[in-house]
Amino acid sequence: MTNAHPPKAPTRRQLLTRIGTLAGSAALYQAMTSMGHAQGTDFTSPPVLSGAKRGTRVLVLGAGLAGMLSAYELRKAGYHVQVLEFQNRAGGRNISLRGGDTVTELGGATQKVGFASGNYINPGPWRIPYHHQGLLHYCREFGVELEPFVELNHNSWLHSSRAFDGKPVRYREFASDFHGFTAELLGKAINQHKLDDMVSADEHDHVMTAMRQWGSLDANLNYTKGTISSETRGYEKALGGGINGAPIPSEPLARKEVMRSGLWTWLAFHERLDMQTTMFQPVGGMDMIGKGFNRQVHDLITLNCKVTAIHQDDKGVRVTYNDMAHGGAVRETQADYCVCTIPLPVLSQLDVQVSAPLKAAIMAVPYASSVKLGLEFRRRFWEEDDQI
C-alpha cells in the first residue's frame, strides 16, 4: 500500500537544525558550507569605491572594526564621514583587559582586573583563522604585528571520567590510538570483502595503503605496540644515545576505553574550518587590532554617544543620540547615508524607521550567551611540569 501523502521534505532551516542537534556544530558548519551559507571570505583586495558627489555625508554608527573600516574606505573614496560610538573607546568587542582595568557589564556588575604586569585576557575574539584574509590584509596595512596562535598542542591532556580510571591521557596518544583502531577495523573489513559493494577493485589497494599509513598499522593490519605506532603516539622511552639508547615502544590504550571515552569529539573539533591551523593573534592583545584601526580614523569618531533613534526619508537619515560626555544632552545629526553596525539586540530596542519585514528580522535574530574566565597562576606549570 502506497502512502498517498508522502512526508514533506524539510526546509533548509529545519534540515540544518536537525544536523546541528544530532551531529554537533562541526557537522552543521560543514553542511552550511556545502550549501553555500558559510563560505570563507572571497576577499582579494580592498573595495574600490568611487562616485561620491562633493559633500556627500555618511554617518557610521558604531566604532567597532566594521564601523572603523567602513569609515576608512568611505573617506578614501571622498565621502564626508562621521562616526558615533556608544562606549568610551573604539574597538567594539575587540578588547583586551589588563591589570588595573575596570570593566562594567551592561547589567551593572563591575570588576577590577588584578593581573600582573604583562598579563591580559581577551574577553571578545581571541584568534584570527588563516582564511580571514580581509582582516589579515588590514592588519598588514595598518601595521598591526601578528604572531602564531597555538590552537592545538599534541602533548596536551584529554580527560574523561568515563574511561582510563579517570586519569588524563595525552592528546597524541589518544589521537594515534583512535585513528589506529578505526583504521584497523576498516582495513580488515575491506580485506575480508565485507565492503565490496562500496569499495571497487581499483580502489582497494589505495584504501588499504591509506589505512596502513593513516592508522600506523603493521603488515597484518594490526594496530599494536611497536615502533610503527610509537612513531605517532610516542615512545615509553625515547630514542637516545650510547649503548642504552634504543627506544622502548609504548603500549596503546584499550580500544574499548578509547571508544567509550567520547574524547574523539575533540579530535573533530580541531578539524573545523574555523579551528584549523594556522592561527594568528596580535602581539600584546587583541585590542591591538582596534588600536591599529583607530589610528586611521580617530579624528572621525565621537565617543560616548548613545543612539536612541534612526529616522530616514527621501532627503537622507536623521539620528538622535544622547551625548553622555555632556550629561546626556540630546543631540541630532543628519547625513545622506547611514552605515549601522549597532548589534541587533541593541538595535531592536531603538526607535528605528525601517520596513516591517526588516524590523521583524532585527527582532528575530538571537545572539548566543557566552562567558569567559581569566585565570592567573604563579607559574606556568603546564609548561614546566607537563611540557604543554
Side-chain angles (χ1 to χ4, degrees), residues 146-220:
L146 302 178
E147 62 185 2
F149 179 95
V150 180
E151 171 69 20
L152 171 61
N153 188 316
H154 286 77
N155 209 42
S156 59
W157 294 110
L158 293 176
H159 176 264
S160 171
S161 59
R162 301 195 301 266
F164 316 119
D165 295 324
K167 298 178 181 178
V169 295
R170 295 288 187 181
Y171 184 100
R172 56 178 165 77
E173 295 174 345
F174 183 87
S176 176
D177 293 354
F178 177 76
H179 293 157
F181 291 136
T182 302
E184 178 182 345
L185 292 172
L186 181 57
K188 288 181 176 179
I190 294 173
N191 217 32
Q192 294 170 16
H193 305 287
K194 295 181 178 180
L195 297 177
D196 284 355
D197 58 334
M198 300 178 66
V199 181
S200 63
D202 59 334
E203 287 181 303
H204 181 276
D205 290 345
H206 297 299
V207 174
M208 296 304 295
T209 299
M211 290 301 98
R212 286 192 178 93
Q213 294 183 1
W214 179 70
S216 301
L217 307 182
D218 63 17
N220 297 317

Side-chain angles (χ1 to χ4, degrees), residues 7-16 18:
K8 187 177 180 181
T11 65
R12 282 180 294 180
R13 182 185 297 273
Q14 291 170 335
L15 176 61
L16 291 171
R18 293 174 187 175

Side-chain angles (χ1 to χ4, degrees), residues 26 49 68 76 123 147 161 215 251 283 302 306 351 365 367 386:
L49 304 179
M68 288 192 287
K76 284 201 310 180
E147 62 185 2
S161 59
E251 186 73 47
V283 175
T302 304
K306 182 180 179 181
D351 177 12
V365 177
Y367 274 39
D386 296 312

Side-chain angles (χ1 to χ4, degrees), residues 97-170:
L97 297 176
R98 300 172 178 81
D101 288 344
T102 299
V103 58
T104 301
E105 302 286 350
L106 289 177
T110 299
Q111 295 186 67
K112 185 171 183 179
V113 184
F115 293 157
S117 177
N119 293 340
Y120 60 86
I121 181 176
N122 298 315
W126 53 285
R127 71 196 190 290
I128 308 173
Y130 70 90
H131 50 80
H132 286 196
Q133 291 298 312
L135 179 57
L136 292 171
H137 167 85
Y138 285 105
C139 283
R140 290 190 294 268
E141 183 169 331
F142 298 160
V144 179
E145 185 179 0
L146 302 178
E147 62 185 2
F149 179 95
V150 180
E151 171 69 20
L152 171 61
N153 188 316
H154 286 77
N155 209 42
S156 59
W157 294 110
L158 293 176
H159 176 264
S160 171
S161 59
R162 301 195 301 266
F164 316 119
D165 295 324
K167 298 178 181 178
V169 295
R170 295 288 187 181

Side-chain angles (χ1 to χ4, degrees), residues 59-64 66-67 84-86 305-310 319-321 338-352 362 367:
L59 180 61
V60 179
L61 303 182
L84 300 182
E85 167 57 41
F86 169 68
C305 297
K306 182 180 179 181
V307 173
T308 57
I310 306 173
V319 171
T320 305
Y321 65 95
C338 176
V339 176
C340 181
T341 69
I342 297 175
L344 296 183
V346 177
L347 188 63
S348 65
Q349 303 175 51
L350 307 183
D351 177 12
V352 182
I362 293 172
Y367 274 39

